[in-house]
Amino acid sequence: MTILDGKALSTQLIDSVKEKSAQLSPTLAVILVGENPASMAYVRNKRRACERAGIEYQEFNFSTDITQKELLDKVEELNQDDSINGMIVQLPLPDHIYVPEVIRAINPKKDVDGFHAYNLGKMFLSSEFEDLPPATPSGIVKLLDHYDIPIQGKEVVVVGHSNIVGKPISTMMLNRDATVTTCHIFTQDLATHTQRADILIVAVGKEKLITADMVKDGVVVVDVGMNRNSEGKLCGDVDFEEVSKKASYITPVPGGVGPMTVAALILNTVHATERQKQ
Ligand code: GUN
């Protein structure tokens, strides 16, 4: 069994753009609403990665009582500001904010999270048009590629159908000619699907959703989950201790997909800047 070391690869990828970044001097703007501890931790990691890559980082903090209009106005201001090359709005947002409208407001050329319908739609066409792909799916593909894990012709089972992970990673796997099954909360008998997987990608947010009896020997496991267990420790959606005994490759939590999301964001930011300056 090999651990898919997202932490190490992330550092390597971030270091690989330093030179380009020094030429382009990109700026990333991050909008954070409220004080959700997980969001604050993610944003801190993004800031550190920017510092390492030589990307200027600007953070805009708002309290949870911000209105839809105030948030949209901030996005528009950053759209108009030529010194800002990339912009992300950290999710989740408070319940009174209508997220699709916020994402739609971001200039697709600055949408380094790859959440805008324009970027998602382009990705749908083929891997060639994955120009600003969503950060987490993009990070997963880079991790599999780095370890030379073949995708073409493989049975890929994705558990979770969110717009930011499940749906786009299913599309990216299809772009690479996998046979893709996307499971979700309404899937009947999840185990019959996961047991067929050559590559199992889980993005649900439920501790120990995937147990050893649900996977076959030699499976490649990518765990996108980020949960706290009863002892307060970070854990994924997969019972790592038991499933790792059957897996050929598996991502740890933390240190697997999380850092790869950050690396993909950095690469998208440099790429977006390059495009804008062409
Ligand atoms: N919340 C969880 N993951 C992400 C992400 O990749 N980007 C943003 N903006 N918010 C998130």
Side-chain angles (χ1 to χ4, degrees), residues 30-31 38-39 42-43 46 87-93 103 106 112-115 134-137 164-165 224 261-262 265:
V30 174
I31 296 177
S39 291
Y42 290 140
V43 161
K46 291 170 186 180
M87 171 190 346
I88 69 169
V89 180
Q90 188 64 32
L91 303 179
L93 290 167
I103 291 171
I106 299 172
V112 287
D113 253 335
F115 289 171
T136 299
I164 70 175
V165 185
V224 189
T261 297
V262 176
L265 173 72

Short mmCIF file of all heavy atoms in Angstrom, two decimals, residues 30-31 38-39 42-43 46 87-93 103 106 112-115 134-137 164-165 224 261-262 265, ligand 1:
data_model
loop_
_atom_site.label_atom_id
_atom_site.label_comp_id
_atom_site.label_asym_id
_atom_site.label_seq_id
_atom_site.Cartn_x
_atom_site.Cartn_y
_atom_site.Cartn_z
N VAL A 30 -9.18 37.02 -1.58
CA VAL A 30 -9.99 36.02 -0.91
C VAL A 30 -11.06 36.72 -0.08
O VAL A 30 -10.75 37.59 0.75
CB VAL A 30 -9.12 35.12 0.00
CG1 VAL A 30 -9.99 34.18 0.83
CG2 VAL A 30 -8.12 34.34 -0.83
N ILE A 31 -12.32 36.36 -0.32
CA ILE A 31 -13.42 36.92 0.46
C ILE A 31 -13.86 35.87 1.47
O ILE A 31 -14.19 34.73 1.10
CB ILE A 31 -14.61 37.32 -0.45
CG1 ILE A 31 -14.19 38.44 -1.41
CG2 ILE A 31 -15.82 37.73 0.39
CD1 ILE A 31 -15.26 38.85 -2.41
N ALA A 38 -13.43 25.93 10.09
CA ALA A 38 -12.86 25.17 8.97
C ALA A 38 -12.47 26.13 7.84
O ALA A 38 -11.37 26.04 7.28
CB ALA A 38 -13.85 24.13 8.46
N SER A 39 -13.36 27.08 7.54
CA SER A 39 -13.06 28.05 6.48
C SER A 39 -11.83 28.87 6.83
O SER A 39 -10.99 29.15 5.97
CB SER A 39 -14.25 28.99 6.26
OG SER A 39 -15.33 28.29 5.70
N TYR A 42 -8.82 26.77 6.14
CA TYR A 42 -8.54 26.66 4.69
C TYR A 42 -7.90 27.93 4.17
O TYR A 42 -6.93 27.90 3.41
CB TYR A 42 -9.84 26.43 3.90
CG TYR A 42 -10.48 25.07 4.10
CD1 TYR A 42 -11.87 24.95 4.20
CD2 TYR A 42 -9.72 23.91 4.14
CE1 TYR A 42 -12.48 23.70 4.37
CE2 TYR A 42 -10.32 22.67 4.31
CZ TYR A 42 -11.70 22.57 4.42
OH TYR A 42 -12.29 21.36 4.58
N VAL A 43 -8.48 29.07 4.59
CA VAL A 43 -8.01 30.36 4.09
C VAL A 43 -6.57 30.63 4.56
O VAL A 43 -5.75 31.16 3.81
CB VAL A 43 -9.00 31.46 4.53
CG1 VAL A 43 -8.39 32.83 4.47
CG2 VAL A 43 -10.26 31.40 3.67
N LYS A 46 -4.33 28.81 2.33
CA LYS A 46 -4.23 29.46 1.02
C LYS A 46 -3.28 30.66 1.10
O LYS A 46 -2.49 30.90 0.19
CB LYS A 46 -5.63 29.88 0.53
CG LYS A 46 -6.50 28.68 0.18
CD LYS A 46 -7.96 29.00 -0.07
CE LYS A 46 -8.74 27.69 -0.26
NZ LYS A 46 -10.18 27.90 -0.51
N MET A 87 -9.77 35.60 -7.85
CA MET A 87 -10.67 35.91 -6.73
C MET A 87 -11.39 34.64 -6.31
O MET A 87 -11.84 33.88 -7.16
CB MET A 87 -11.67 36.95 -7.22
CG MET A 87 -12.77 37.21 -6.27
SD MET A 87 -14.14 38.21 -6.92
CE MET A 87 -13.60 38.96 -8.40
N ILE A 88 -11.47 34.42 -5.00
CA ILE A 88 -12.33 33.33 -4.52
C ILE A 88 -13.21 33.83 -3.39
O ILE A 88 -12.83 34.73 -2.63
CB ILE A 88 -11.53 32.09 -4.04
CG1 ILE A 88 -10.74 32.37 -2.76
CG2 ILE A 88 -10.59 31.58 -5.12
CD1 ILE A 88 -10.18 31.11 -2.14
N VAL A 89 -14.40 33.28 -3.32
CA VAL A 89 -15.30 33.52 -2.19
C VAL A 89 -15.34 32.21 -1.43
O VAL A 89 -15.80 31.18 -1.96
CB VAL A 89 -16.71 33.91 -2.68
CG1 VAL A 89 -17.63 34.15 -1.49
CG2 VAL A 89 -16.65 35.14 -3.57
N GLN A 90 -14.82 32.21 -0.21
CA GLN A 90 -14.76 30.97 0.55
C GLN A 90 -16.17 30.50 0.89
O GLN A 90 -16.99 31.27 1.37
CB GLN A 90 -13.91 31.18 1.82
CG GLN A 90 -13.62 29.90 2.60
CD GLN A 90 -12.77 28.89 1.83
OE1 GLN A 90 -11.92 29.26 1.02
NE2 GLN A 90 -13.00 27.61 2.07
N LEU A 91 -16.45 29.22 0.63
CA LEU A 91 -17.73 28.62 0.97
C LEU A 91 -17.56 27.77 2.23
O LEU A 91 -16.46 27.33 2.50
CB LEU A 91 -18.22 27.75 -0.19
CG LEU A 91 -18.35 28.45 -1.55
CD1 LEU A 91 -18.83 27.45 -2.60
CD2 LEU A 91 -19.30 29.63 -1.47
N PRO A 92 -18.58 27.53 3.01
CA PRO A 92 -19.98 27.95 2.82
C PRO A 92 -20.21 29.41 3.16
O PRO A 92 -19.42 30.02 3.88
CB PRO A 92 -20.73 27.04 3.80
CG PRO A 92 -19.76 26.73 4.89
CD PRO A 92 -18.41 26.71 4.23
N LEU A 93 -21.31 29.95 2.65
CA LEU A 93 -21.75 31.30 2.99
C LEU A 93 -22.99 31.20 3.89
O LEU A 93 -23.65 30.15 3.89
CB LEU A 93 -22.07 32.08 1.71
CG LEU A 93 -20.84 32.44 0.86
CD1 LEU A 93 -21.26 32.92 -0.53
CD2 LEU A 93 -19.97 33.49 1.55
N ILE A 103 -21.46 33.44 -7.30
CA ILE A 103 -20.49 32.81 -8.20
C ILE A 103 -20.64 33.36 -9.62
O ILE A 103 -19.66 33.62 -10.31
CB ILE A 103 -20.64 31.28 -8.15
CG1 ILE A 103 -20.16 30.78 -6.77
CG2 ILE A 103 -19.85 30.60 -9.26
CD1 ILE A 103 -20.44 29.35 -6.48
N ILE A 106 -18.75 36.61 -10.39
CA ILE A 106 -17.28 36.64 -10.52
C ILE A 106 -16.91 36.60 -12.01
O ILE A 106 -17.43 35.78 -12.76
CB ILE A 106 -16.65 35.42 -9.80
CG1 ILE A 106 -16.98 35.46 -8.29
CG2 ILE A 106 -15.15 35.34 -10.03
CD1 ILE A 106 -16.57 34.19 -7.54
N VAL A 112 -10.60 31.64 -10.06
CA VAL A 112 -9.54 30.63 -9.89
C VAL A 112 -9.99 29.42 -9.08
O VAL A 112 -9.28 28.42 -8.99
CB VAL A 112 -8.26 31.26 -9.28
CG1 VAL A 112 -7.57 32.13 -10.34
CG2 VAL A 112 -8.56 32.09 -8.03
N ASP A 113 -11.21 29.47 -8.51
CA ASP A 113 -11.80 28.27 -7.92
C ASP A 113 -12.46 27.40 -8.99
O ASP A 113 -12.80 26.25 -8.74
CB ASP A 113 -12.88 28.66 -6.90
CG ASP A 113 -12.44 28.43 -5.46
OD1 ASP A 113 -11.56 27.57 -5.25
OD2 ASP A 113 -12.97 29.10 -4.57
N GLY A 114 -12.66 27.98 -10.18
CA GLY A 114 -13.30 27.24 -11.27
C GLY A 114 -14.74 26.88 -11.00
O GLY A 114 -15.22 25.84 -11.44
N PHE A 115 -15.46 27.74 -10.30
CA PHE A 115 -16.85 27.45 -9.92
C PHE A 115 -17.87 28.07 -10.89
O PHE A 115 -19.04 27.74 -10.85
CB PHE A 115 -17.17 28.00 -8.52
CG PHE A 115 -16.50 27.26 -7.39
CD1 PHE A 115 -16.55 27.77 -6.10
CD2 PHE A 115 -15.85 26.06 -7.59
CE1 PHE A 115 -15.95 27.10 -5.03
CE2 PHE A 115 -15.24 25.37 -6.54
CZ PHE A 115 -15.29 25.90 -5.25
N PRO A 134 -12.13 23.33 -11.43
CA PRO A 134 -12.33 23.48 -9.99
C PRO A 134 -11.14 22.90 -9.21
O PRO A 134 -10.57 21.88 -9.60
CB PRO A 134 -13.61 22.69 -9.71
CG PRO A 134 -14.16 22.27 -11.00
CD PRO A 134 -13.17 22.55 -12.08
N ALA A 135 -10.77 23.57 -8.14
CA ALA A 135 -9.50 23.31 -7.48
C ALA A 135 -9.39 21.88 -6.91
O ALA A 135 -8.37 21.21 -7.12
CB ALA A 135 -9.26 24.35 -6.39
N THR A 136 -10.41 21.41 -6.23
CA THR A 136 -10.28 20.08 -5.60
C THR A 136 -10.21 18.97 -6.65
O THR A 136 -9.27 18.15 -6.62
CB THR A 136 -11.40 19.84 -4.58
OG1 THR A 136 -11.30 20.83 -3.56
CG2 THR A 136 -11.30 18.46 -3.94
N PRO A 137 -11.13 18.92 -7.63
CA PRO A 137 -11.01 17.90 -8.68
C PRO A 137 -9.67 17.99 -9.43
O PRO A 137 -9.04 16.98 -9.72
CB PRO A 137 -12.18 18.21 -9.61
CG PRO A 137 -13.18 18.86 -8.73
CD PRO A 137 -12.41 19.65 -7.75
N ILE A 164 -19.04 21.36 -6.37
CA ILE A 164 -17.62 21.71 -6.26
C ILE A 164 -16.69 20.50 -6.27
O ILE A 164 -15.51 20.65 -6.56
CB ILE A 164 -17.31 22.68 -5.09
CG1 ILE A 164 -17.46 22.05 -3.73
CG2 ILE A 164 -18.15 23.94 -5.17
CD1 ILE A 164 -17.02 22.99 -2.60
N VAL A 165 -17.21 19.30 -6.00
CA VAL A 165 -16.34 18.11 -6.09
C VAL A 165 -16.97 16.98 -6.91
O VAL A 165 -16.45 16.63 -7.97
CB VAL A 165 -15.93 17.57 -4.69
CG1 VAL A 165 -14.94 16.41 -4.86
CG2 VAL A 165 -15.30 18.64 -3.81
N VAL A 224 -11.89 12.76 0.13
CA VAL A 224 -12.01 14.21 0.12
C VAL A 224 -12.65 14.71 1.43
O VAL A 224 -12.68 15.90 1.71
CB VAL A 224 -12.85 14.69 -1.10
CG1 VAL A 224 -12.81 16.21 -1.26
CG2 VAL A 224 -12.34 14.04 -2.39
N THR A 261 -5.80 20.73 -3.14
CA THR A 261 -6.75 21.79 -3.50
C THR A 261 -6.04 23.14 -3.50
O THR A 261 -6.21 23.96 -4.41
CB THR A 261 -7.93 21.83 -2.49
OG1 THR A 261 -8.64 20.60 -2.58
CG2 THR A 261 -8.88 22.98 -2.77
N VAL A 262 -5.23 23.35 -2.49
CA VAL A 262 -4.50 24.61 -2.36
C VAL A 262 -3.50 24.76 -3.52
O VAL A 262 -3.40 25.82 -4.14
CB VAL A 262 -3.80 24.69 -0.99
CG1 VAL A 262 -2.96 25.96 -0.89
CG2 VAL A 262 -4.83 24.63 0.14
N LEU A 265 -5.30 25.68 -6.66
CA LEU A 265 -5.69 27.10 -6.62
C LEU A 265 -4.53 28.00 -7.02
O LEU A 265 -4.68 28.96 -7.77
CB LEU A 265 -6.18 27.44 -5.20
CG LEU A 265 -6.47 28.92 -4.94
CD1 LEU A 265 -7.74 29.34 -5.67
CD2 LEU A 265 -6.61 29.18 -3.45
N1 GUN B 1 -15.14 25.39 0.62
C1 GUN B 1 -14.72 24.10 0.59
N2 GUN B 1 -13.87 23.92 -0.43
C2 GUN B 1 -13.76 25.09 -1.07
C3 GUN B 1 -13.00 25.54 -2.20
O1 GUN B 1 -12.28 24.80 -2.86
N3 GUN B 1 -13.14 26.86 -2.52
C4 GUN B 1 -13.95 27.70 -1.83
N4 GUN B 1 -14.03 28.96 -2.22
N5 GUN B 1 -14.66 27.32 -0.79
C5 GUN B 1 -14.56 26.03 -0.41
#
